[in-house]
Amino acid sequence: MNRKRVVITGLGAITPIGIGVENYFKSLKEGKSGVTRIVKFDTENLSTKIAAEVKDFDPNDFIDKKESKRMDRYTQFAVAASKMAIEDARLNLKSIECDRFGVCIGSGIGGLETLESQYKVMTEKGPGRVSPFFIPMMISNIAAGYISMVFNAKGPNMTIVTACASSTNAIGEAYRIIQRNEADIMITGGTEASITPMAIAGFCSMKALSQRNDEPTKASRPFDKNRDGFVMGEGAGILVLEDLEHALKRNAIIYGEIVGYGSTADAYHITAPAPEGEGAYRAMRKAVEDAGISPDEIDYINAHGTSTELNDKFETQAIKALMGKHAYEVAISSTKSMTGHLLGAAGAIEALACMMAINECIIPPTINYETMDENCDLDYVPNKARTAVVKYAMSNSFGFGGHNASIILKKYE
């Protein structure tokens, strides 16, 4: 069976550095950090007091007020970003064959804010006061469910939960669904809203978060020798994927093409990456093989680049193992230096960054790169965006549990 070509026709973004793709990419190009002191709750007893919160987001700008109250913040992000992407794709929903229109969304945690708030209600006021909407607000699949209802998407509908690889896996699986001719259009990407007291406390206990509380904008520093942990972020990134023939038939504007996807497991440790990035290397290799290209054709890598000791070191080793000499020539950046780490939504907003890099011929930087680490000696596009022609871009995402996912985006020709 001939594989369908899969193109990107719509983009939507809710991020800590801008709402809407245009605002988001403008901030990336300017090297703007979205990390600040946490304002949503009291951090007095927490060792980390900083995060990349989404600012100026009003769900009622996108969702009916009554309906939005029945959604966790992570679902609000997903529905809002999906509305942006559908509008951007100029889809006439009345003309779509709805059972060929699907949804595949990634989320690492789901409705944690709802879980925490309703547990407090139960302990303080009793079980009879727990909201009847508690379960449907909390469960990880409800964002995908809501999106399907809002847009009458009756095709394949699923949620991918692979920790920080969730939305890259979701985009990859949506790509496969269209390739297999099981859908014409897929709404895909990821969403997360886990800047909560419990989540911050949990990651603090793991010693995973940066404690650079007095310099929030400098806290996320991937590949820098003085990195001390990641910074939590929140938001959503959504892409409309479409069968090329379907897109051409309706004269859609095409941003680019998904051409490669690789997914592997470390089978090694619940939180630590496999030594030398062995699992990450295999995911990248599979993506390159799927795209039918050689590694030296990759012009840009949006790295997972979390600003943690082992991830940055092992991802660098994996890139070297895959690319050999070209590893020192390819442009690499971690946009988490600006957005923080959106956990299950990270790969989605990073795929958007790749798509915009391809279209605008501008590679976003890795900000806060000040001191070279001898274990991280590649070209991380330090501190300033760079003008460059990008034909192929790779986006990497790796998650707790040893989940690894890589996708390759291509300039549409």
Side-chain angles (χ1 to χ4, degrees):
M1 184 178 72
N2 289 331
R3 298 197 312 181
K4 296 275 190 177
R5 285 178 68 182
V6 181
V7 294
I8 298 163
T9 56
L11 307 172
I14 307 283
T15 82
I17 56 172
I19 293 174
V21 171
E22 190 176 326
N23 292 328
Y24 166 53
F25 198 65
K26 181 175 184 287
S27 293
L28 287 182
K29 290 185 290 187
E30 292 172 356
K32 179 181 175 183
S33 172
V35 184
T36 58
R37 298 278 289 200
I38 293 170
V39 298
K40 284 170 64 179
F41 52 84
D42 185 2
T43 60
E44 185 179 351
N45 296 320
L46 295 167
S47 56
T48 290
K49 305 175 189 299
I50 56 175
E53 295 171 301
V54 169
K55 293 92 176 166
D56 304 320
F57 173 72
D58 184 349
N60 301 322
D61 290 342
F62 305 92
I63 308 160
D64 175 77
K65 192 172 184 180
K66 183 179 177 183
E67 202 64 35
S68 73
K69 286 182 177 178
R70 297 175 178 177
M71 295 179 182
D72 185 90
R73 186 169 168 88
Y74 98 103
T75 301
Q76 293 173 347
F77 287 159
V79 172
S82 295
K83 285 197 169 185
M84 289 180 187
I86 291 292
E87 288 174 11
D88 187 45
R90 298 167 181 82
L91 280 171
N92 180 353
L93 297 177
K94 292 179 182 177
S95 69
I96 289 171
E97 196 175 334
C98 58
D99 62 353
R100 302 272 305 168
F101 181 23
V103 181
C104 186
I105 300 295
S107 186
I109 296 179
L112 186 59
E113 190 172 76
T114 296
L115 177 62
E116 289 185 36
S117 65
Q118 289 300 303
Y119 179 75
K120 187 177 180 184
V121 168
M122 188 181 77
T123 55
E124 293 180 357
K125 300 179 181 179
R129 297 293 295 277
V130 171
S131 170
F133 297 105
F134 163 54
I135 297 297
M137 286 174 72
M138 178 200 70
I139 51 181
S140 298
N141 68 301
I142 207 67
Y146 257 115
I147 291 166
S148 71
M149 289 182 269
V150 170
F151 300 109
N152 197 36
K154 295 185 176 181
N157 187 289
M158 62 191 73
T159 297
I160 306 294
V161 182
T162 50
C164 303
S166 296
S167 54
T168 299
N169 277 133
I171 295 166
E173 295 304 322
Y175 158 68
R176 289 278 187 255
I177 286 167
I178 296 174
Q179 274 192 326
R180 295 193 300 262
N181 198 28
E182 293 173 13
D184 298 322
I185 306 169
M186 293 291 293
I187 300 173
T188 188
T191 184
E192 205 81 89
S194 298
I195 301 175
T196 70
M198 277 292 291
I200 298 292
F203 281 117
C204 283
S205 293
M206 292 175 66
K207 312 287 187 199
L209 295 178
S210 171
Q211 294 184 23
R212 203 180 284 258
N213 297 315
D214 296 330
E215 296 181 298
T217 60
K218 294 186 176 182
S220 184
R221 44 200 314 114
F223 305 107
D224 184 85
K225 188 176 181 67
N226 297 314
R227 62 193 182 275
D228 72 327
F230 79 88
V231 176
M232 183 89 83
E234 64 176 358
I238 297 292
L239 300 84
V240 174
L241 303 191
E242 199 166 344
D243 164 37
L244 174 61
E245 291 175 21
H246 189 276
L248 292 174
K249 205 173 288 184
R250 67 177 190 86
N251 295 315
I253 293 170
I254 295 172
Y255 284 101
E257 192 169 357
I258 307 271
V259 294
Y261 170 48
S263 179
T264 65
D266 285 349
Y268 172 71
H269 190 272
I270 57 170
T271 56
E276 300 180 359
E278 182 272 336
Y281 157 74
R282 286 186 291 109
M284 289 189 285
R285 188 191 69 207
K286 284 175 178 289
V288 166
E289 289 171 354
D290 187 45
I293 61 174
S294 64
D296 60 10
E297 290 182 80
I298 302 291
D299 301 300
Y300 169 54
I301 299 173
N302 189 296
H304 188 53
T306 54
S307 187
T308 56
E309 179 63 31
L310 290 181
N311 175 86
D312 295 3
K313 174 184 174 181
F314 289 160
E315 185 172 12
T316 296
Q317 290 177 341
I319 291 168
K320 290 178 181 178
L322 176 73
M323 297 190 165
K325 181 185 173 186
H326 185 61
Y328 290 90
E329 299 164 353
V330 66
I332 303 163
S333 68
S334 172
T335 46
K336 288 183 180 73
S337 58
M338 293 169 274
T339 65
H341 189 354
L342 273 64
L343 308 183
I349 66 165
E350 289 156 13
L352 296 181
C354 287
M355 197 70 273
M356 299 309 287
I358 288 169
N359 278 277
E360 295 198 18
C361 298
I362 297 176
I363 295 173
T366 304
I367 68 167
N368 300 320
Y369 187 84
E370 295 173 346
T371 307
M372 181 180 158
D373 180 340
E374 57 274 14
N375 293 309
C376 301
D377 59 348
L378 301 180
D379 175 9
Y380 304 110
V381 192
N383 303 313
K384 288 187 177 181
R386 179 182 302 167
T387 301
V389 174
V390 179
K391 181 177 180 181
Y392 289 101
M394 173 184 281
S395 184
N396 290 336
S397 296
F398 315 128
F400 284 178
H403 300 279
N404 307 298
S406 295
I407 55 172
I408 295 176
L409 300 90
K410 178 181 178 286
K411 187 178 182 66
Y412 174 66
E413 297 171 322

